[in-house]
Amino acid sequence: MSDNPVRGMDHIGITVADIEAATQFFIDAFGAKVLYDSLPLAGEDNEGTHNEQVLNLAPGTVVKAVRMLWLRHGPGIELFQMQGPTQREPVRPSDYGLQHFAVYVEDMPEAITRFERAGGKMFTEPQPLTFAPEKGEGNCFCYGRTPWGSVIELISTPSPLPYTQHTSLRRWKP
């Protein structure tokens, strides 16, 4: 048994306005599949002070649906559809807190096509990775916004990353 109980990332959670539309986006853009509905949209709403305490929700927030999605490689995606009295727009990368997640892709043009066909919008064309520890032929990234406003980065590193010359540690790569 290791002295560190952490094994890796299990899932990310995203609150969306329309769980069905968000599910379809992840299916179309990334080939996600529905694993299960923890709280089906057609079921009873989940609300009350217990949820407010456990999830640190604004008082009066109603959890309408919760769904877990599967991605072929990497953590799951847990979608929440909630209605609350004080909901805000998704953050930008310059805001504090969790501001994006990255999806590793092998074919950047095809990934961008799928992302945009699913309703997302890329900010720019793919850009070369410019930080010295990441530079390499073909290593690139591209940020985009989902239809509901979350930011997702597409990243590809077909060339060895220079940082590997200085440490035995490695970034996780599917």
Side-chain angles (χ1 to χ4, degrees):
M1 181 170 184
S2 168
D3 58 345
N4 185 341
V6 176
R7 293 185 50 145
M9 186 174 287
D10 182 75
H11 69 275
I12 60 167
I14 304 171
T15 299
V16 298
D18 182 334
I19 201 165
E20 298 300 343
T23 298
Q24 195 61 52
F25 172 82
F26 282 109
I27 289 169
D28 294 345
F30 302 123
K33 295 181 181 177
V34 175
L35 275 175
Y36 54 85
D37 287 326
S38 302
L39 179 64
L41 186 58
E44 290 187 28
D45 293 343
N46 197 337
E47 59 186 313
T49 57
H50 178 73
N51 273 352
E52 292 168 7
Q53 288 179 324
V54 172
L55 301 175
N56 193 32
L57 303 176
T61 297
V62 178
V63 181
K64 306 294 280 181
V66 181
R67 174 174 290 154
M68 185 64 78
L69 302 180
W70 169 92
L71 290 180
R72 183 170 175 223
H73 298 290
I77 298 174
E78 188 174 26
L79 299 176
F80 293 83
Q81 183 173 322
M82 298 188 204
Q83 290 177 335
T86 57
Q87 289 178 292
R88 295 180 283 216
E89 293 297 313
V91 300
R92 290 189 292 180
S94 58
D95 295 328
Y96 293 119
L98 182 62
Q99 38 95 343
H100 82 277
F101 68 92
V103 175
Y104 188 88
V105 302
E106 291 181 342
D107 183 338
M108 185 66 75
E110 177 61 21
I112 289 170
T113 297
R114 290 179 59 134
F115 188 89
E116 291 184 331
R117 195 179 312 139
K121 175 77 172 106
M122 302 313 295
F123 298 156
T124 64
E125 295 295 316
Q127 304 294 308
L129 290 172
T130 56
F131 296 128
E134 301 173 334
K135 284 184 178 183
E137 183 66 33
N139 294 350
C140 62
F141 73 103
C142 193
Y143 276 66
R145 188 171 301 283
T146 65
W148 60 92
S150 293
V151 176
I152 297 177
E153 174 185 1
L154 304 179
I155 187 168
S156 188
T157 56
S159 293
L161 299 175
Y163 84 89
T164 61
Q165 299 168 16
H166 308 289
T167 180
S168 62
L169 297 175
R170 298 293 182 260
R171 286 176 66 160
W172 183 81
K173 182 177 180 178

